[in-house]
């Protein structure tokens, strides 16, 4: 039986010989024979009883993971100690440029090599990711940063919910932004990466959270493109609230960087699209939550939007009041239509009614326009009675509304 140190050397040899590996699998040794027959290539770059590498794919025997992991931790710990000792001694002593370059480069390479093996074996080993940050922060090399993104991409291919990997990826992007100021292509690739990962692994909050973070670095054209691309994805994953939260971040970015006319048009289009989805996909809470955000921003903009020209301020306020009145009428009509839908065997319409009445209750409590909503509702329906009828189990709570 081979020792863990020998196995670690073999793994690091494979990783260094093929730096374009894009997929890793941990499989039982009995499956190794079938890998060659299923591969299009006729030649394996590395093939023994523990490792298999071909076509930039790497397989590792599950039977050696324990030994491999223990050796990787030990090697990384020793390399990290050497790195810190060298860093402390370099502050106290003065070395010649040649001596410092040779020794420091060797220690840094060891730390990068061992930490790479460790994060592959244990994607959430935060200390190993931080060791890589220590080395990268000393360099001004864009290629090293791109390689680091490639490594985290590899880890995320089989551990898509690794918070440490996503966090390290954000650190690298921020490092690139501070040092090189060229992020447009990287941001586009990052957004596409998240999309592909979310297609394979549903409801991935960490991936969507990363995509929301990217909005901070997007320019206006990129934001508009992301709005357009995510629209189709949202329609096909209607219950995934994370996508609608991403659209919320994009829309808030638009509020910051666009003029008033663009915002009105974009918000009106988003409201119409959301209404279409609500009527098409019955009983989906994510759609109603997104509508609350859209409604609040629309109402707030109608009430606060001012024109710097005093002569036009009154006319502008009249236009905004007209938009607000029309919007409130449309909201009452939408919820009414959702409340009168006939029941079905799957209880979707009952859920839709609860969501609609909850939305009505929420919007009637919005400051400054709540009274207008209640007046409109008083003309067409008795909200308190509807609340009791739709959710009788909460009848005591609804008394507060009366």
């Amino acid at each position: 039986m081979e020792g863990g140190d020998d196995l670690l050397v073999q793994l690091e040899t494979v990783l260094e010989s093929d730096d374009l590996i894009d997929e890793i699998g941990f499989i039982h040794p009995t499956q190794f024979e079938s890998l060659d027959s299923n591969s299009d290539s006729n030649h394996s770059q590395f093939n023994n009883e523990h490792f298999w590498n071909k076509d930039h794919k790497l397989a590792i025997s599950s039977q050696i993971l324990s030994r491999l992991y223990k050796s990787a931790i030990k090697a990384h710990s020793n390399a990290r100690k050497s790195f810190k000792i060298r860093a402390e001694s370099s502050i106290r002593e003065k070395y010649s440029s040649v001596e410092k370059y040779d020794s420091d480069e060797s220690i840094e390479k060891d730390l990068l090599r061992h930490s790479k093996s460790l994060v592959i074996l244990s994607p959430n080993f935060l200390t190993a990711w931080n060791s890589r940050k220590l080395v990268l922060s000393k360099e001004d090399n864009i290629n090293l940063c791109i390689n680091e993104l490639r490594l985290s991409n590899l880890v995320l291919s089989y551990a898509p919910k690794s918070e440490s990997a996503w966090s390290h990826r954000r650190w690298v992007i921020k490092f690139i932004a501070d040092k090189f100021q060229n992020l447009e292509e990287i941001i586009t690739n990052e957004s596409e990466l998240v999309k592909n990962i979310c297609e394979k692994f549903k409801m991935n909050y960490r991936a969507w959270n990363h995509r929301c973070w990217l909005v901070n670095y997007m320019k206006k054209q990129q934001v508009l493109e992301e709005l357009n691309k995510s629209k189709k994805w949202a329609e096909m994953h209607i219950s995934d609230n994370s996508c609608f939260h991403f659209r919320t971040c994009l829309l808030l970015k638009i509020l910051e960087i666009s003029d008033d006319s663009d915002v009105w048009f974009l918000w009106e289009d988003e409201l119409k699209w959301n209404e279409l989805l609500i009527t098409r996909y019955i009983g989906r809470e994510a759609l109603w939550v997104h509508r609350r955000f859209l409604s609040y921003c629309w109402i707030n903009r109608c009430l606060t939007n001012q024109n710097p020209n005093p002569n036009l301020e009154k006319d502008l306020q009249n236009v905004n009041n007209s938009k607000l009145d029309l919007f409130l009428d449309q909201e009452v009509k939408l919820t009414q239509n959702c409340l009168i839908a006939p029941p079905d065997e799957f209880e979707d319409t009952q859920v839709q009614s609860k969501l609609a009445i909850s939305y009505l209750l929420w919007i009637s409590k919005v400051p400054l326009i709540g009274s207008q909503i209640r007046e409109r509702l008083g003309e067409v329906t008795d909200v308190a009675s509807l609340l009791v009828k739709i959710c009788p189990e909460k009848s005591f709570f609804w008394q507060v509304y009366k």
Side-chain angles (χ1 to χ4, degrees), residues 207-223:
W208 282 108
N209 183 56
H210 179 74
R211 201 174 186 182
C212 291
W213 177 83
L214 293 172
V215 175
N216 298 314
Y217 294 94
M218 290 183 184
K219 299 179 180 178
K220 180 179 179 180
Q221 186 58 37
Q222 283 183 301
V223 173

Side-chain angles (χ1 to χ4, degrees), residues 51-70:
F51 302 98
W52 179 92
N53 174 223
K54 183 192 293 187
D55 302 327
H56 308 307
K57 315 297 179 186
L58 173 61
I60 303 175
S61 172
S62 59
Q63 287 189 341
I64 65 169
L65 290 180
S66 178
R67 285 175 284 159
L68 196 57
Y69 180 61
K70 291 177 181 178

Side-chain angles (χ1 to χ4, degrees), residues 254-272:
I254 287 293
L255 284 178
E256 296 177 8
I257 61 179
S258 297
D259 56 39
D260 192 62
S261 59
D262 291 338
V263 171
W264 282 117
F265 176 79
L266 193 62
W267 231 263
E268 187 175 5
D269 183 64
E270 188 77 5
L271 281 165
K272 290 180 180 178

